[in-house]
Amino acid sequence: MRRAALFLALALTFIARPALATENVTDFVLDNGMQVVVIEDHRAPLAVHMVWYRAGSADERPGASGAAHFLEHMMFRGTETRAPGEFSERVAANGGNDNAFTSYDYTAYFQRVAADRLGLMMEMEADRMANLLLRPELVETERGVILEERNQRVENEPGSLFREQTSAAQFLNHPYGAPIIGWRHEIEALSREDLNAYYTRHYAPNNAILIVAGDVTPDEVRRLAETHYGPIPANPAVTERARPQEPPQRAPRRVTMEDARVAQPYVTRSWLAPERDPGDQRQAAALVLLSELLGGGQTSVLTTALQYDNPVAVFTSAFYGATSLDRTRFGVVVVPAQGVGLAEAEAALDAEIARFLETGVDAEALERIKFGLKASRIYQQDNVQSVAQRYGRALTSGLALEDIAAWPGILDSITGEEIMAVARDVLVPERSVTGWLRAPEADKTANTEVMQ
């Protein structure tokens, strides 16, 4: 019994210790306006070096969709002093790996290397921030690469094409309605001048955030950043981002898409929802918890009701993008069981959401979800790249370090009443977009019935 008690005490101590760990974060701003964030983690001699630009696909001019992603590709195609492909070759030669990614609100470039190679990473990244060379022949070569990427990821995937259509229906006026990779016809028409204009406008130190995480110190990072990024002049044309916003939605919208390649039809429903804002994150936190309550796992509301109690579905889920510069989407997905039509699946979804809005939040389920979110955050601390990405996404979406630090406490403090208040505010039928994806001729009668 003594041994068992001792083992239990040690186990509880081991579990509790990570919860006490906090991220050791320092930040400062270079004279040219570049924000620098240092996240210290000395458990391994590695460093993650990331440059995040406050510019993504939603910052493209009308008619030039895909420019942000296209430029991301071109950033690996050489500068005035470096040959195409040399950047990644040098990273690999120094035992590291690198990549980049584009989203609506940001474009980010990163390298994971031994900590003593940090200076070289900054030297090369600063070079392509200031001296990118858009060779005409490589622009055309890369256009072919991107079009093939679109073929593989979008044109050959009915679900991806469907998401494009429902997103476009959700955002009639905001640029979030255009795909990040770009519409095919606009990718084909993008010119070298379009790419250069985007680069000149957005790629500047005062529009960038440098995040370095790992076995580094703030003093070391400051010295290297001032050496490599400091000489790049600020761009006075950089201003606060102002985008077209959505008008009030006054009627529900529907999208029915048919594709012969669809093997499994499904229903989606989405609504515009508030995002995390500086100093005002409680609604977003309540929506995070609402998405988990409705479709976050095997014990969630929709899974329990539609897969077990009334088995009309083989899969249910909910999604919400809290970290966003502008209003975002909250949505649910229902994949009907064999022999169940889309109309029946949608009706069951409607009934279950109505029941939830009537009965409210299960307190025990809410506590389990909060505990799970805490555990996920603790485990994430073992991956410095994931931690750096969390900071980058938040900062490029308009949040401050204080908001990032406050977020876990806000999530933990949200009440069931707050969740129900935001659910009733967001889950309004008149402001919804409902999508059906199916093969041709499937469920025609059900579609007629639901539309009458």
Side-chain angles (χ1 to χ4, degrees):
M1 291 293 292
R2 281 182 193 163
R3 287 180 180 177
L6 178 60
F7 176 80
L8 178 60
L10 289 173
L12 290 173
T13 301
F14 176 77
I15 292 171
R17 276 179 181 165
L20 301 176
T22 57
E23 290 148 3
N24 189 1
V25 180
T26 304
D27 76 305
F28 53 89
V29 179
L30 302 183
D31 291 342
N32 58 12
M34 187 176 196
Q35 183 180 2
V36 183
V37 176
V38 182
I39 307 169
E40 293 183 70
D41 186 332
H42 300 286
R43 290 177 291 178
L46 299 172
V48 173
H49 170 264
M50 308 190 81
V51 170
W52 295 71
Y53 291 96
R54 297 183 184 89
S57 66
D59 299 292
E60 297 158 344
R61 68 167 180 80
S65 68
H69 174 254
F70 202 141
L71 183 62
E72 175 212 313
H73 277 238
M74 295 306 301
M75 287 284 280
F76 293 88
R77 304 297 272 168
T79 67
E80 296 173 3
T81 58
R82 287 192 168 85
E86 181 181 340
F87 190 108
S88 295
E89 289 170 3
R90 293 198 66 185
V91 173
N94 282 273
N97 59 72
D98 72 317
N99 214 323
F101 46 89
T102 304
S103 190
Y104 294 111
D105 298 319
Y106 54 76
T107 310
Y109 302 84
F110 70 90
Q111 305 85 42
R112 183 182 177 96
V113 293
D116 62 359
R117 300 296 193 272
L118 181 59
L120 174 61
M121 300 303 106
M122 288 197 192
E123 175 191 343
M124 295 196 298
E125 196 67 77
D127 176 45
R128 65 179 175 180
M129 176 187 287
N131 303 308
L132 183 66
L133 188 58
L134 294 170
R135 297 172 172 87
E137 68 278 10
L138 294 183
V139 170
E140 292 310 310
T141 299
E142 208 61 35
R143 188 193 314 278
V145 172
I146 293 167
L147 288 171
E148 181 56 30
E149 180 182 343
R150 182 175 168 88
N151 284 339
Q152 292 180 1
R153 296 186 179 183
V154 182
E155 309 290 353
N156 292 335
E157 294 288 341
S160 296
L161 290 170
F162 178 63
R163 284 190 293 273
E164 282 190 345
Q165 296 300 307
T166 55
S167 183
Q170 189 89 69
F171 296 99
L172 298 183
N173 196 49
H174 193 284
Y176 287 166
I180 294 169
I181 196 171
W183 299 112
R184 185 181 186 89
H185 67 285
E186 293 186 349
I187 298 171
E188 292 173 340
L190 283 172
S191 67
R192 179 176 177 274
E193 289 70 29
D194 291 327
L195 302 181
N196 190 61
Y198 190 95
Y199 175 72
T200 303
R201 173 67 177 80
H202 297 293
Y203 279 50
N206 54 322
N207 202 37
I209 303 167
L210 169 63
I211 299 179
V212 180
D215 190 19
V216 296
T217 65
D219 288 343
E220 174 193 11
V221 173
R222 181 189 291 271
R223 176 180 60 81
L224 291 171
E226 288 177 343
T227 298
H228 298 293
Y229 294 108
I232 304 174
N235 181 0
V238 171
T239 58
E240 184 176 351
R241 288 183 280 184
R243 298 159 170 173
Q245 298 299 304
E246 283 298 297
Q249 182 177 341
R250 306 187 188 282
R253 301 168 190 159
R254 300 189 68 89
V255 174
T256 299
M257 178 175 161
E258 296 183 344
D259 191 303
R261 298 169 295 180
V262 174
Q264 176 64 68
Y266 59 88
V267 180
T268 66
R269 170 81 52 74
S270 61
W271 302 261
L272 281 184
E275 74 285 357
R276 293 170 63 186
D277 286 326
D280 183 13
Q281 302 184 88
R282 295 196 71 83
Q283 276 194 315
L287 285 166
V288 167
L289 296 170
L290 176 63
S291 70
E292 291 294 321
L293 283 164
L294 287 180
Q298 291 301 303
T299 59
S300 65
V301 168
L302 294 179
T303 300
T304 300
L306 305 185
Q307 293 183 232
Y308 301 123
D309 295 346
N310 176 28
V312 298
V314 294
F315 175 79
T316 57
S317 183
F319 60 90
Y320 169 61
T323 307
S324 175
L325 186 64
D326 296 316
R327 285 177 70 80
T328 183
R329 300 173 77 190
F330 184 99
V332 292
V333 180
V334 177
V335 179
Q338 184 70 30
V340 176
L342 293 179
E344 183 181 350
E346 183 182 336
L349 170 65
D350 289 339
E352 193 51 40
I353 290 178
R355 188 201 65 79
F356 174 78
L357 292 175
E358 180 67 26
T359 59
V361 172
D362 181 280
E364 291 185 3
L366 179 57
E367 288 307 307
R368 286 198 303 271
I369 288 168
K370 288 181 177 181
F371 184 84
L373 291 174
K374 287 180 190 176
S376 295
R377 183 181 175 85
I378 291 167
Y379 295 141
Q380 187 194 58
Q381 290 178 328
D382 285 334
N383 187 325
V384 292
Q385 186 165 321
S386 294
V387 173
Q389 287 180 343
R390 174 161 49 83
Y391 275 80
R393 286 193 300 270
L395 293 171
T396 51
S397 298
L399 299 171
L401 290 175
E402 294 77 13
D403 299 306
I404 299 171
W407 180 245
I410 292 173
L411 280 170
D412 196 47
S413 69
I414 295 297
T415 65
E417 289 75 17
E418 287 178 286
I419 293 172
M420 294 310 301
V422 76
R424 294 187 180 103
D425 183 58
V426 171
L427 307 183
V428 178
E430 292 75 17
R431 299 201 294 269
S432 67
V433 175
T434 302
W436 285 14
L437 177 64
R438 65 188 185 187
E441 303 303 322
D443 223 5
K444 288 287 191 183
T445 303
N447 185 42
T448 302
E449 291 171 352
V450 81
M451 292 298 288
Q452 286 178 345

